[in-house]
Structures are given as structure tokens and as C-alpha cells.
Amino acid sequence: MTIGALIRTIRLDKGMTQKETAQGILSRSHLSELEHNNYYPTYDKMILLINRLGLSLEEFERELHQNKLFLEDYYIQRANDLSTESKVDELAALLETEFTESVAKHSLRLEHKRLNMLGLVDFIRHNGHINYAKYESLFTYLLKCQNWRHYELALLSNSIFLANYSVAKVLAKQFVSKFQDNQSHFSDYKIPVLFNNLAEMALMNHEYNTALSYCQVSQNYTVKNHDLYNQLISETLEHMANILLDRSSEAELEEHLQLFIKLNYQDTANYYSKLCKQLDIEVGLDSD
């Protein structure tokens, strides 16, 4: 059974009209399109609809899939596993043969994940040179969302590298305005990743003071959560910004790169050593 068909079934079982179900959430016509699988609302509106019908998200998913493997989770977990293992060719094959565009149309969550993974393949295969316009819909969604929840924060953190820098800066401001007074309700672990990525983007765009401000946000969370790995990344990016602002020497930066190696993060050390070269920062990296 499709999401739209299940919503219609539950609505009718409860004796609710489309107008009653949709009121204050979306238009009646959009609900009708959803029930016929011609429209999918944003994630937050979908949660409100499910709650309006008297179900939790877990109950709705159980009803939808009748305790079988949640279809979305299969594709998303498979894509995540391949990306984590850096199996780019296998990930590309999955997106072409299994996790196809037609599969992704079943939900906004699948659509976003597939586009994110396509972007990752594109980014790696073309050494960071991508057509940002191909991924605009991810950020259009985020900019349109009035309230961000964990889903939106995770989406932003996972896909920020696909955003044009000017869009990324707007999204960073959106984050601050949406979360600065209400952060306790959301998972913090994604935030340092987001702001470390933003800091790197700022460095590549020669906005070194902006990079420092992003590093500070990241460090506020890494210290709070005892996240040593992302704290080291943030401090490494901070040293790069200060070197480029003639406020620091390369010695402390080299110490951080060597610390990654001592902690068995050789790939991370190599990555930031390469970034240093791109920024014309000369550092020595001893991997022995």
C-alpha cells in the first residue's frame, strides 16, 4: 500500500473528511493529490498529518509496511553503507539499477537521499567540481521549511557540500536563527560536521574571518559533546584561517596534522594536508 492510499484508508476509517484532515496543515486539494500519489508534502507537514490521524510515525510506518522491512530504510541504509565505505562505483551502480528515480518518487526522504548520494558520486568523480544547479531542490526545500527538525538538520549537514557558497551562507544564518534559542530539542552530533564543512567552504572562498566564526560554532558543540575528532578538525581549519590572516605560524597546524596520524586518522591528515596545498599553506606531514 502506498503512503497516500494508507492516509486515505485511515482517514475514512476514522470518519474524517479531507477538509478536517488537512485544516491548518495543507490545502484540501493537496491532500487529495497526496492520497492519489501525485503530491508529497514536506516532512514536517507529513508528521502533522499522521498526528492528525491519531498515529505516531512508528505506528504509521508499521501500518504501511505491516512489520516488514521498511522500504525506505533499506535503500537509505544501503546507500549510507556504500558511501561510508567509500565504494563510489558500487554506490553509483546502486543509484542506477536499484535505488532509481522511480523508487525515489515514493517519498521526499528517498528523493532527498538519492539526490544527496548522486551529488556525492558527482563530487568525488569530478574532484569537487560540480554543477550546483543539479542539487538546488535540496536547499530550496530547506529554505522553504518554516521549522527545522532533526530531519532538516541532518539533510543540511549531509548535503551542504553540494550548495553554492552564497546559498550555504544563507543556510548557516537560517540555522542560527532557528536553533540558537532551542538547541536542546535537537541532536547535536551533526552540527560540528556542518560548521566544519562551512568553514572549509569559507576558506576556499577567501573569507577567513567567516571561517573562524564557523569554527567557533563547531567548537562550542564539540567541547559540549566531548567530540575530539571534530574538535581537531575545527582547530585545524582555525589554524589555516589564522595562517592566511598572518596571525599564526605553520607549526601548530603541523602538530594537529601529526595528531591525526597518531590517532590512526591517516586519511584525514592526508585530506587536510591536500587542502593546505590548495590554500598555498606549506606544511610538512610525516606519516612514519
Side-chain angles (χ1 to χ4, degrees):
M1 182 179 289
T2 66
I3 289 174
L6 179 57
I7 285 177
R8 183 174 186 275
T9 297
I10 296 171
R11 177 179 65 77
L12 293 174
D13 286 345
K14 292 177 179 291
M16 297 174 66
T17 66
Q18 287 184 337
K19 183 178 180 181
E20 288 173 329
T21 306
Q23 189 172 12
I25 301 175
L26 72 174
S27 68
R28 190 203 63 77
S29 61
H30 273 157
L31 176 58
S32 178
E33 290 179 16
L34 169 60
E35 290 184 352
H36 290 87
N37 301 304
N38 295 320
Y39 168 80
Y40 290 97
T42 58
Y43 192 78
D44 53 341
K45 289 183 179 180
M46 182 65 79
I47 295 296
L48 290 173
L49 272 178
I50 293 169
N51 290 340
R52 174 70 54 80
L53 293 169
L55 279 75
S56 68
L57 179 59
E58 182 180 0
E59 290 169 331
F60 183 80
E61 290 180 353
R62 191 183 306 122
E63 184 91 15
L64 181 63
H65 301 285
Q66 299 177 351
N67 291 315
K68 294 180 181 178
L69 179 64
F70 190 22
L71 183 63
E72 291 190 11
D73 285 346
Y74 165 75
Y75 289 113
I76 289 172
Q77 190 59 55
R78 181 71 179 132
N80 285 342
D81 287 346
L82 291 174
S83 65
T84 300
E85 295 166 11
S86 300
K87 295 180 178 179
V88 179
D89 291 338
E90 289 183 41
L91 177 59
L94 175 74
L95 297 171
E96 184 177 345
T97 61
E98 290 186 62
F99 192 177
T100 60
E101 186 176 356
S102 61
V103 168
K105 286 180 179 178
H106 283 84
S107 77
L108 189 70
R109 186 170 171 238
L110 283 173
E111 184 180 322
H112 285 163
K113 176 54 70 173
R114 185 173 189 272
L115 191 57
N116 187 204
M117 292 294 102
L118 284 170
L120 178 61
V121 171
D122 193 11
F123 189 88
I124 293 173
R125 286 182 168 176
H126 297 94
N127 296 314
H129 300 289
I130 59 172
N131 178 1
Y132 295 112
K134 290 169 63 176
Y135 311 102
E136 275 182 2
S137 63
L138 293 170
F139 309 109
T140 299
Y141 166 83
L142 288 167
L143 291 169
K144 283 184 176 180
C145 261
Q146 205 165 25
N147 297 306
W148 285 359
R149 294 175 171 79
H150 175 75
Y151 175 80
E152 283 74 31
L153 177 55
L155 177 63
L156 178 60
S157 299
N158 292 334
S159 60
I160 192 67
F161 70 99
L162 297 172
N164 179 284
Y165 181 54
S166 61
V167 173
K169 288 196 292 184
V170 172
L171 289 165
K173 289 180 180 178
Q174 288 262 15
F175 169 87
V176 173
S177 68
K178 292 176 187 294
F179 286 88
Q180 62 181 353
D181 297 322
N182 199 21
Q183 294 167 359
S184 61
H185 294 278
F186 301 91
S187 177
D188 294 343
Y189 76 99
K190 288 282 187 182
I191 298 172
V193 177
L194 168 62
F195 279 88
N196 285 343
N197 283 333
L198 284 164
E200 185 176 328
M201 295 172 79
L203 287 174
M204 296 301 294
N205 283 273
H206 313 292
E207 294 189 6
Y208 309 131
N209 283 309
T210 301
L212 288 174
S213 69
Y214 290 150
C215 288
Q216 186 58 60
V217 175
S218 174
Q219 288 169 30
N220 288 342
Y221 283 92
T222 58
V223 171
K224 173 183 173 184
N225 297 316
H226 310 290
D227 183 352
L228 178 60
Y229 178 71
N230 279 302
Q231 184 178 342
L232 283 172
I233 290 177
S234 180
E235 290 176 357
T236 298
L237 294 166
E238 183 179 43
H239 285 310
M240 291 182 191
N242 279 320
I243 289 169
L244 293 165
L245 288 166
D246 295 322
R247 296 176 184 170
S248 180
S249 67
E250 286 78 2
E252 287 182 296
L253 175 58
E254 289 179 359
E255 286 180 12
H256 271 70
L257 294 176
Q258 292 297 337
L259 188 53
F260 279 120
I261 296 172
K262 290 178 182 177
L263 294 171
N264 294 318
Y265 293 119
Q266 180 70 55
D267 289 344
T268 305
N270 292 340
Y271 176 83
Y272 287 106
S273 178
K274 182 178 178 181
L275 180 60
C276 285
K277 290 179 182 178
Q278 290 178 282
L279 295 169
D280 294 322
I281 298 173
E282 294 187 11
V283 292
L285 185 61
D286 181 10
S287 58
D288 296 331

